[in-house]
Amino acid sequence: MRPNSNSMGLHERALKVMPGPQSNLRIPLGVRPTFIKKGSGAHFWDVDENQYIDFMLGAGPGVFGQSNKDYIQALKDQLDTLYYCISGASQTPMEVELAEKIVEHVPCAEKVRFCLSGTEAVQLAIRLARAYTKRHYFIRFEGHYHGWLDNVLGGTTNDDLTGKPFATESDQDPMTTEGKDPFALQQSFKLPWNDIEILEHTLERYGQEVGMVLMEPINCNGGCCPPRPGYLQRVRELCTRHNIILCFDEVITGFRVALNGAQGQLGVTPDLATFGKALAGGIPLGAVAGKADVMDLLLQRKVIGAGTFNGYPFGIAAGLISMKLLEKDEGAHYRTIEKAQGRMMSGLKEISKRRGIPALIQGPRGVFFYQFIDKEIAYSIRDLKTADVLKQNAFRSLLADEGILIMWGGRWYISAALTGADIDRALEAADKVLGKL
Ligand SMILES: Cc1ncc(COP(=O)(O)O)c(C=O)c1O
């Protein structure tokens, strides 16, 4: 790895004019400044000519890897028209076509509304659910992430179930932030996930006041935890019984695990679902999809879901191009990902075992979680309490020194661009690094 002198220079320049070296989430401390110059396939290069294998995929959107030729060419072919559309009306045939495709693939989708990000999609879903049910509270879960706005961000679960289970603020919470509405945590109940009894108990007591149950159907943000057998089915039944909107936040899983999302793979259909990230293969686009009678509150002008750029042609075109590539050869893309991921996961398992390192490796197609803990499976973030987080941080940082970039916290995103040679190299690096830890 070459010294990162060019990146350091940019870092210093950035701090003079920006409140951080980039505009994303809070950067973890101690991360070596790395500015990216270009990407291709599963690789990118920083401004010091270091090459990396990419298991971050921009925190999820990059289903095709970097600069996928078909994707870029298709966008280029439409650029002039798209520019005209941006400067003209933004009501386009492409938007209808993309909505039709989502309706075709996603089980809950009878109607679709586009926005710009996962965060916006979640907020629109909350508003729709409140308007539909005329109830104020929603339920969310420990270890799940739904964007950066006040009403869904952070809060520590309160295990005392004698009153309404609002989360509380805590300095220990990695999602704590100053400047938040002091009443934001009183909009929702926050419960442990994958625990049907707690949900049942809460709904028995407060079901009449709850408009929506919001969850990641596979908890990618909390360790790629799968739902326990029967859990989602039971949640579905409870929501139906209490007339509550069930919303799956598929911002990570949507179009990444499959064209029909986690809901299609797991066989449980929510009332609403939110999408973002992989929906347009790397260009900003969000969506809420769901039952017509809920979505039609927008048509009836009872609910506002505004946004200057909603349905902007460039994002919609990218969504359509993405969808067509994902549909190609009956989902060949997903088969390629599955193969690469299988090799990565079994390789890491073999190395960990050989080196006597207790490790948990789990995840759906397209993303997995590797963590230093002696467990076969984790069903919630609570199961990961004794994980060696410091070791995970060291692992990530040493891997980066070897040119392998993974997400903070132990998440690995898999694109179809990974070659056999990339996987060999990544496993070799992981073996070397695990030998040092
Ligand atoms: C499950 C989930 N929902 C919502 C969001 C927010 O999406 P965005 O960052 O596009 O606003 C994220 C982002 O990581 C997410 O993982």
Side-chain angles (χ1 to χ4, degrees):
M1 190 75 38
R2 293 192 178 89
N4 62 339
S5 45
N6 292 334
S7 275
M8 280 309 293
L10 279 162
H11 187 78
E12 280 155 25
R13 272 173 60 195
L15 293 188
K16 286 189 186 141
V17 290
M18 293 162 66
Q22 44 95 313
S23 301
N24 210 296
L25 198 69
R26 243 182 335 220
I27 280 229
L29 291 172
V31 169
R32 174 183 134 114
T34 305
F35 284 77
I36 305 303
K37 188 169 69 174
K38 65 172 184 191
S40 170
H43 302 142
F44 54 71
W45 286 262
D46 69 18
V47 289
D48 294 290
E49 302 298 339
N50 293 305
Q51 184 184 352
Y52 300 88
I53 300 181
D54 178 18
F55 291 96
M56 295 178 76
L57 304 184
V63 263
F64 306 114
Q66 310 272 345
S67 314
N68 177 282
K69 279 199 199 76
D70 297 332
Y71 177 85
I72 301 283
Q73 191 55 51
L75 266 180
K76 274 186 184 162
D77 288 348
Q78 296 184 45
L79 214 55
D80 289 348
T81 337
L82 290 174
Y83 181 70
Y84 169 77
C85 288
I86 289 165
S87 24
S90 68
Q91 189 171 323
T92 61
M94 288 184 304
E95 191 171 353
V96 182
E97 201 185 330
L98 181 57
E100 283 168 347
K101 284 207 172 286
I102 295 174
V103 167
E104 178 192 333
H105 292 301
V106 176
C108 82
E110 292 173 2
K111 296 216 168 171
V112 185
R113 176 71 159 224
F114 295 103
C115 54
L116 292 184
S117 67
T119 294
E120 286 185 40
V122 166
Q123 293 301 315
L124 180 56
I126 294 172
R127 184 175 288 173
L128 282 166
R130 282 187 173 142
Y132 188 79
T133 59
K134 307 272 188 276
R135 299 172 184 172
H136 174 69
Y137 296 122
F138 59 97
I139 290 180
R140 62 193 176 105
F141 296 89
E142 205 173 49
H144 295 228
Y145 178 75
H146 305 292
W148 64 275
L149 295 191
D150 285 8
N151 59 354
V152 288
L153 189 68
T156 302
T157 312
N158 184 353
D159 281 333
D160 175 6
L161 291 177
T162 51
K164 286 182 176 162
F166 297 124
T168 50
E169 293 291 358
S170 150
D171 289 347
Q172 303 305 311
D173 176 5
M175 287 293 165
T176 194
T177 177
E178 293 187 13
K180 194 164 144 183
D181 174 355
F183 301 108
L185 290 182
Q186 266 100 67
Q187 292 191 28
S188 68
F189 303 151
K190 192 168 183 184
L191 304 178
W193 190 62
N194 246 340
D195 185 328
I196 200 68
E197 277 161 25
I198 289 188
L199 182 64
E200 258 165 6
H201 172 86
T202 307
L203 292 183
E204 265 160 35
R205 299 187 71 181
Y206 306 113
Q208 289 302 311
E209 297 172 72
V210 174
M212 175 162 91
V213 169
L214 172 66
M215 66 170 67
E216 296 176 46
I218 298 166
N219 186 198
C220 295
N221 283 294
C224 293
C225 297
R228 284 183 189 280
Y231 176 73
L232 294 183
Q233 285 80 355
R234 194 75 192 104
V235 172
R236 175 65 279 181
E237 283 165 22
L238 286 170
C239 286
T240 305
R241 166 139 55 96
H242 291 275
N243 296 314
I244 293 168
I245 297 287
L246 174 60
C247 178
F248 283 171
D249 184 345
E250 296 233 39
V251 167
I252 290 183
T253 50
F255 306 100
R256 167 159 292 286
V257 301
L259 272 168
N260 58 5
Q263 56 186 277
Q265 298 295 297
L266 297 167
V268 176
T269 305
D271 302 297
L272 291 178
T274 51
F275 297 92
K277 296 199 191 261
L279 172 60
I283 282 174
L285 189 66
V288 180
K291 297 278 156 60
D293 54 345
V294 185
M295 298 299 294
D296 276 347
L297 294 171
L298 290 156
L299 178 69
Q300 295 151 10
R301 303 167 66 86
K302 290 185 179 159
V303 167
I304 291 182
T308 302
F309 287 113
N310 282 6
Y312 75 115
F314 197 75
I316 296 287
L320 210 43
I321 290 164
S322 231
M323 202 74 64
K324 287 177 184 169
L325 288 175
L326 292 174
E327 285 170 342
K328 220 166 133 186
D329 302 329
E330 289 165 47
H333 176 86
Y334 292 108
R335 294 194 292 280
T336 309
I337 287 189
E338 198 164 304
K339 218 162 133 201
Q341 183 165 347
R343 277 203 59 205
M344 269 316 296
M345 287 172 78
S346 56
L348 284 170
K349 221 172 252 176
E350 182 278 314
I351 295 165
S352 313
K353 198 166 164 204
R354 171 163 46 78
R355 293 197 170 275
I357 297 171
L360 167 78
I361 307 174
Q362 64 179 17
R365 182 164 57 196
V367 55
F368 72 88
F369 178 74
Y370 178 97
Q371 184 56 281
F372 297 92
I373 185 168
D374 194 5
K375 268 199 176 12
E376 275 301 305
I377 187 163
Y379 282 115
S380 82
I381 202 162
R382 290 196 170 198
D383 290 346
L384 297 167
K385 268 196 178 138
T386 56
D388 192 338
V389 176
L390 293 179
K391 207 175 208 176
Q392 178 64 242
N393 292 345
F395 183 47
R396 180 182 189 276
S397 149
L398 289 170
L399 275 178
D401 292 345
E402 297 294 324
I404 310 295
L405 287 194
I406 65 169
M407 292 280 294
W408 302 285
R411 208 177 321 151
W412 299 58
Y413 279 108
I414 304 290
S415 77
L418 282 170
T419 62
D422 294 328
I423 294 169
D424 289 344
R425 210 185 111 199
L427 288 173
E428 224 171 86
D431 196 9
K432 182 172 163 194
V433 167
L434 288 171
K436 287 189 202 165
L437 286 173

